[in-house]
Amino acid sequence: MTPQILVCGAGIVGLSTALALARRQQRVTLLAPRAQLAPAEPDVYHPRVYAISPASQRFLAQLGIWDAIPEARLTPVRGMEIYGDGDGRVELKAWQAAHEQLAWIVESGEIERVLLQAVRMFGIPWIEARATGWRPGEIETDAGQRIAAELFIGADGAASPLRTAAGLKHEARSYGDIGLVVHLDAELPHHGTALQWFRDDGVLALLPLPDTRDGSQVSMVWSMREAQARELLALPAGEQAAQLERRLQEASQQRLGRLRVRSRLHGFPLTLEQSQPVAPGIALVGDAAHRLHPLAGQGLNMGLGDVEALARVIAEREPYRAAGDLRVLRRYQRARAEPVAAMRLATDGLHRLFAAHNAPMAFLRNAGMRLVDDLPFLKRHLIEQASRN
């Protein structure tokens, strides 16, 4: 049967898109190679973790998959401490806005696992191939197939083959930074608190993870200048771990005591990207549509917001309109324009603010942080805004 909607990509955003549409009685098919996930092991955690906002948690619960994630693999974030490059400091607690938690830290692999199970349960058709070409109403795959559909959804990542094949406008700017990620053993308990330091050499974040038999565990995300990061990545494993631990001891101000490397170090380039989100018969979601600096940890949340809005717009369209009607897709574009632009402005603005090294700017940003920390209503506003993304 010819699919009504073809979703290209089977990461978290692609699987969520297919599931959200299927739950709204849309005829949907997935196009992507099948992922092979290794069984979960105690004390072994996927290298990529996400901070899931309350809005994203509600959406995943609506999809019926949140409760399927093992509770032992979830870490509620009940507080956050943010440090400037001087004496600036902001402390946020969930209770300040009458919330139980600010977010949940979840492994990428655990979310994918439950989404794959749900996709199988719903019997969503899956074509194991990649998009290589596109023309209005039809896609070509690397297996030589030609597949027709009313709507093609690009959920196939920052390098989106569908976006490239369709010739949609795409802008990208490198930050000149590399995001380094690794899991660490912490000497002191994290108490469900996320920590972040804005420094001359980048932005360091430590995210709380479940305890292991070795004690407290955190996930590091360090947006480091490219030259420094590549130098670190090129070192032999033992020397790399020793040097990273030395740097962390100074950068983290020993907030969690001694930090020891417990997993492999990974690095990925950081870019600011924006794409044309819709065209007749095509819509982009997630990293295919936009990519932000990870300092706010909102990348996946923005992608899930795209999915929720697109699924709603398609399901609520007039009966006489096709799923790929540009009038329908423009509604999705309008729904996402403001939240994506606001988050882009916030993350890029913060990066620029702390990248400026002159003394007046340093004084102003740290003074601003102290002011925020002294005003409870501003803290409540920040927490409420983050909860909506």
Side-chain angles (χ1 to χ4, degrees):
M1 181 184 293
T2 301
Q4 176 192 35
I5 302 169
L6 190 72
V7 177
C8 301
I12 293 174
V13 171
L15 293 169
S16 298
T17 303
L19 186 58
L21 289 166
R23 291 183 70 90
R24 286 179 172 267
Q25 287 74 55
Q26 303 301 305
R27 203 169 69 252
V28 61
T29 296
L30 274 161
L31 175 75
R34 283 189 187 268
Q36 298 296 324
L37 293 176
E41 298 179 49
D43 290 347
V44 177
Y45 288 78
H46 195 278
R48 174 160 285 186
V49 301
Y50 293 108
I52 300 297
S53 70
S56 292
Q57 184 272 336
R58 288 191 294 270
F59 177 56
L60 293 175
Q62 290 166 12
L63 293 184
I65 66 108
W66 182 257
D67 288 340
I69 301 174
E71 190 174 348
R73 311 293 290 207
L74 292 170
T75 308
V77 180
R78 297 190 173 90
M80 186 170 186
E81 296 174 13
I82 307 165
Y83 298 87
D85 53 350
D87 60 354
R89 181 177 183 271
V90 176
E91 185 174 359
L92 301 174
K93 298 291 185 182
W95 61 261
Q96 292 169 328
H99 294 317
E100 291 187 17
Q101 55 274 311
L102 301 173
W104 291 261
I105 306 299
V106 193
E107 300 158 81
S108 172
E110 290 303 311
I111 304 175
E112 289 181 44
R113 196 185 315 280
V114 294
L115 281 169
L116 285 167
Q117 293 168 355
V119 162
R120 283 195 294 268
M121 184 184 74
F122 268 79
I124 297 173
W126 191 320
I127 300 170
E128 296 188 55
R130 298 178 189 274
T132 55
W134 180 86
R135 62 184 182 185
E138 187 178 81
I139 202 168
E140 184 176 343
T141 76
D142 56 1
Q145 303 158 287
R146 291 187 178 275
I147 305 168
E150 290 181 17
L151 172 63
F152 298 92
I153 298 177
D156 45 356
S160 179
L162 176 62
R163 184 188 67 213
T164 301
L168 297 186
K169 184 180 178 182
H170 176 69
E171 298 175 351
R173 172 168 63 84
S174 172
Y175 279 112
D177 294 343
I178 287 180
L180 297 177
V181 296
V182 70
H183 296 334
L184 307 164
D185 289 323
E187 183 180 10
L188 303 177
H190 53 62
H191 297 301
T193 300
L195 306 165
Q196 189 169 45
W197 291 265
F198 286 88
R199 298 168 42 83
D200 289 343
D201 57 359
V203 184
L204 168 64
L206 299 178
L207 306 176
L209 286 178
D211 291 350
T212 71
R213 61 176 173 267
D214 298 314
S216 189
Q217 178 190 199
V218 293
S219 180
M220 181 199 87
V221 183
W222 197 336
S223 304
M224 189 180 288
R225 299 304 297 170
E226 187 172 359
Q228 293 175 291
R230 293 204 182 281
E231 181 182 312
L232 193 58
L233 287 165
L235 294 174
E239 188 179 345
Q240 180 188 85
Q243 187 171 139
L244 180 58
E245 288 170 8
R246 283 196 299 271
R247 291 190 185 187
L248 280 166
Q249 186 172 2
E250 184 270 328
S252 69
Q253 303 165 2
Q254 299 192 57
R255 172 63 179 77
L256 295 177
R258 185 164 185 178
L259 299 168
R260 293 182 179 274
V261 171
R262 67 172 288 115
S263 70
R264 181 184 167 192
L265 182 68
H266 297 267
F268 54 94
L270 302 183
T271 55
L272 180 67
E273 303 184 36
Q274 184 68 46
S275 303
Q276 176 186 341
V278 300
I282 291 185
L284 302 180
V285 291
D287 283 356
H290 43 73
R291 204 172 188 195
L292 309 171
H293 196 286
L295 61 85
Q298 292 295 318
L300 179 59
N301 293 320
M302 298 306 292
L304 292 175
D306 294 345
V307 174
E308 186 173 18
L310 181 59
R312 182 183 66 253
V313 163
I314 291 173
E316 294 176 357
R317 73 187 187 277
E318 299 88 344
Y320 56 84
R321 294 199 191 279
D325 189 315
L326 188 57
R327 295 177 189 84
V328 174
L329 300 182
R330 291 286 190 202
R331 296 168 193 166
Y332 158 65
Q333 182 178 6
R334 288 193 295 272
R336 296 303 293 157
E338 183 179 346
V340 171
M343 188 57 66
R344 176 189 174 99
L345 181 64
T347 55
D348 190 50
L350 275 172
H351 178 269
R352 289 173 181 270
L353 177 64
F354 280 90
H357 297 311
N358 61 76
M361 287 299 294
F363 171 79
L364 287 173
R365 62 191 175 227
N366 284 282
M369 293 180 74
R370 294 195 303 272
L371 178 64
V372 170
D373 200 50
D374 288 338
L375 298 174
F377 76 91
L378 268 181
K379 291 186 179 184
R380 285 196 299 273
H381 177 71
L382 288 172
I383 294 169
E384 293 294 347
Q385 287 297 113
S387 298
R388 295 191 185 104
N389 292 318

